[in-house]
Amino acid sequence: MAADPTADLAELASWQRGLRAQFPIVLGHPGLVYLDSAATAQKPQAVLDSVQDYLVRSNANAGRGSYPWANTTTALVEGARDRIKEFLGDPRPDRSSVHFTSGATEGLRTLARDWLPGLLGDGDEIVVPFADHQANLSPWLEARDLLARQGVRVRVRELPRQEGSGDYDPQALEGIAGPRTRFVAATHVHHVHGVDMNVHRIRRVVGPDVPICLDAAQSVGHLPVSVAGLDVDFVVFSGHKAMALPGTGAVWARGQRGPAFRPGGWSGTPNTVGIVSLAAALDWLDAAGIERIERWTVALTSLLTDGLARMPAYEVLGCRSSLAAGSAVQRRRSIVTFRHRGIDAQDLGFILFSHGFMVRSDGHCQAGVPDKEGSVRVSLHVHNTPEEMTELLTTLANLQ
């Protein structure tokens, strides 16, 4: 990766213009700048076309009929499972499984409810993050409480973090993980600090037998995700943050550590149109080039953090040593969160919208952080431009 983000931006400028032109909602609102892709991503025309094509040609239920439309829908759903495995670089697709959910939150809760209790016995321990998204903490605490009511005592340990960077601390984890550690939950890219949490280092600490669940809501669709390289057992993500429709997501399960993953209860009608849109979104991301998308968004966030670091009125959350554009420390992955030292975050959000910038301003569902301790989060995708970053920084500078 180039030390100067402008080199990546110059090299990829023509490619990016072609992709930006494929987002109707972006082109249709020239006076607005969408900077909330971590909450939900906008949809390229190919995804919109896939939805309409499916609904007007073969809309039916899946796995319940023998007529052509039903057979086509069933094949599309099964094909989407294979597409997810391929997109994640699954080295053993014959052994893994994909379960569709309404999003990452439901996926994590399904694992905590239907799979984790079968792994744990009295006195066992699990290690989970206490400062990531609430969806990657609450389900594991709920599982602990459920087991406690059944007389099974499970200890929940906090996944330790480094004080300065906010990254996970593998050295401190060595003092926590032990023979009773049965499970670890982690996050791939932090939804507030925007950093890659280097999950591969967790495997080296906990050993080859402990299942690891990865919340990939902020990485799938934004940067390459390789289950082979990460060596995790579950990848959970939301479709709407990967340019698919809302109300769909997936749990990829390796199926090699712990009991087999079999969600409980009766499986009702799947969100067929959402699943169709998810497969189309993954096709679009592959065709666009997920590595290039990462390079573009990382370069944009470097411009933003570099500019904010020069403004005393703002505090950027997360690692302070990585703000400069030429920093050798890992850069943020499309997410920059900050506070103004004199303006409330909610007020700043309203002010920015009055200048055409759509950002998120609250507590961002971060575990342990009340909404009253709000901040402004700017989250980018491939349709955003360097000119938008310049305009945003000019607006923020005028508010100092």
Side-chain angles (χ1 to χ4, degrees):
M1 187 176 295
D4 181 0
T6 58
D8 276 343
L9 295 172
E11 178 186 340
L12 298 174
S14 177
W15 163 85
Q16 188 270 346
R17 283 194 295 271
L19 296 185
R20 178 181 168 89
Q22 298 178 44
F23 289 85
I25 195 170
V26 173
L27 299 184
H29 297 83
L32 296 176
V33 180
Y34 185 74
L35 300 174
D36 200 17
S37 291
T40 197
Q42 299 303 338
K43 322 306 176 192
Q45 187 65 53
V47 171
L48 303 176
D49 290 344
S50 74
V51 170
Q52 179 156 345
D53 183 71
Y54 167 72
L55 290 175
V56 302
R57 290 178 180 270
S58 58
N59 178 41
N61 212 326
R64 287 164 171 78
S66 58
Y67 52 92
W69 291 359
N71 292 336
T72 297
T73 298
T74 301
L76 288 171
V77 171
E78 293 306 312
R81 298 184 201 275
D82 295 336
R83 189 68 187 87
I84 289 171
K85 294 180 183 183
E86 180 184 20
F87 191 79
L88 297 178
D90 188 344
R92 291 295 306 272
D94 57 316
R95 296 188 60 175
S96 63
S97 63
V98 171
H99 172 67
F100 290 110
T101 68
S102 65
T105 299
E106 186 199 345
L108 293 164
R109 183 167 285 120
T110 299
L111 282 169
R113 181 190 64 224
D114 298 337
W115 177 83
L116 186 61
L119 178 73
L120 301 175
D122 193 55
D124 284 343
E125 298 182 351
I126 64 175
V127 182
V128 304
F130 277 48
D132 296 354
H133 198 286
Q134 189 69 45
N136 203 15
L137 174 62
S138 293
W140 316 121
L141 300 181
E142 291 167 3
R144 176 202 60 188
D145 296 342
L146 172 64
L147 288 167
R149 290 193 292 270
Q150 300 170 358
V152 179
R153 294 165 299 175
V154 173
R155 185 178 183 185
V156 178
R157 305 292 299 269
E158 180 177 357
L159 185 56
R161 304 166 65 89
Q162 297 174 358
E163 188 65 30
S165 68
D167 198 355
Y168 297 139
D169 188 338
Q171 186 173 359
L173 180 59
E174 290 178 0
I176 292 176
R180 299 309 299 266
T181 301
R182 296 287 183 263
F183 171 78
V184 176
T187 301
H188 195 187
V189 172
H190 198 277
H191 73 293
V192 174
H193 302 146
V195 294
D196 184 331
M197 302 297 283
N198 291 301
V199 176
H200 63 280
R201 299 187 299 191
I202 294 176
R203 172 61 65 201
R204 294 201 297 265
V205 175
V206 301
D209 301 322
V210 176
I212 298 175
C213 173
L214 188 65
D215 175 0
Q218 299 298 348
S219 56
V220 171
H222 297 263
L223 65 152
V225 179
S226 167
V227 295
L230 293 167
D231 195 13
V232 295
D233 299 273
F234 300 98
V235 171
V236 185
F237 66 96
S238 298
H240 71 99
K241 296 180 182 181
M243 298 188 176
L245 294 185
T248 187
V251 176
W252 171 88
R254 182 183 294 276
Q256 295 181 29
R257 298 180 181 101
F261 174 52
R262 295 187 180 90
W266 176 256
S267 179
T269 298
N271 179 4
T272 54
V273 69
I275 293 169
V276 166
S277 75
L278 178 55
L282 299 185
D283 287 343
W284 188 89
L285 289 163
D286 263 347
I290 193 69
E291 295 85 0
R292 286 184 167 190
I293 290 174
E294 181 188 23
R295 285 176 59 197
W296 182 264
T297 56
V298 168
L300 289 182
T301 53
S302 295
L303 293 182
L304 183 54
T305 58
D306 187 76
L308 284 169
R310 303 169 192 273
M311 300 181 194
Y314 295 93
E315 172 198 6
V316 181
L317 305 189
C319 178
R320 296 289 304 173
S321 61
S322 64
L323 300 183
S327 171
V329 181
Q330 69 154 318
R331 300 172 184 167
R332 285 160 172 77
R333 265 61 185 167
S334 76
I335 295 172
V336 180
T337 306
F338 56 90
R339 294 190 181 101
H340 191 288
R341 301 186 191 279
I343 302 176
D344 177 79
Q346 292 279 3
D347 292 340
L348 183 55
F350 283 119
I351 293 170
L352 288 176
F353 179 71
S354 72
H355 288 81
F357 300 103
M358 293 178 280
V359 300
R360 179 165 173 173
S361 53
D362 57 23
H364 314 294
C365 302
Q366 184 177 5
V369 176
D371 281 345
K372 66 180 181 180
E373 296 183 17
S375 53
V376 169
R377 184 179 70 182
V378 171
S379 51
L380 313 171
H381 221 306
V382 70
H383 50 74
N384 293 117
T385 67
E387 293 76 16
E388 292 172 348
M389 296 304 96
T390 299
E391 294 168 8
L392 175 61
L393 286 168
T394 300
T395 301
L396 292 171
N398 290 335
L399 296 175
Q400 290 197 93

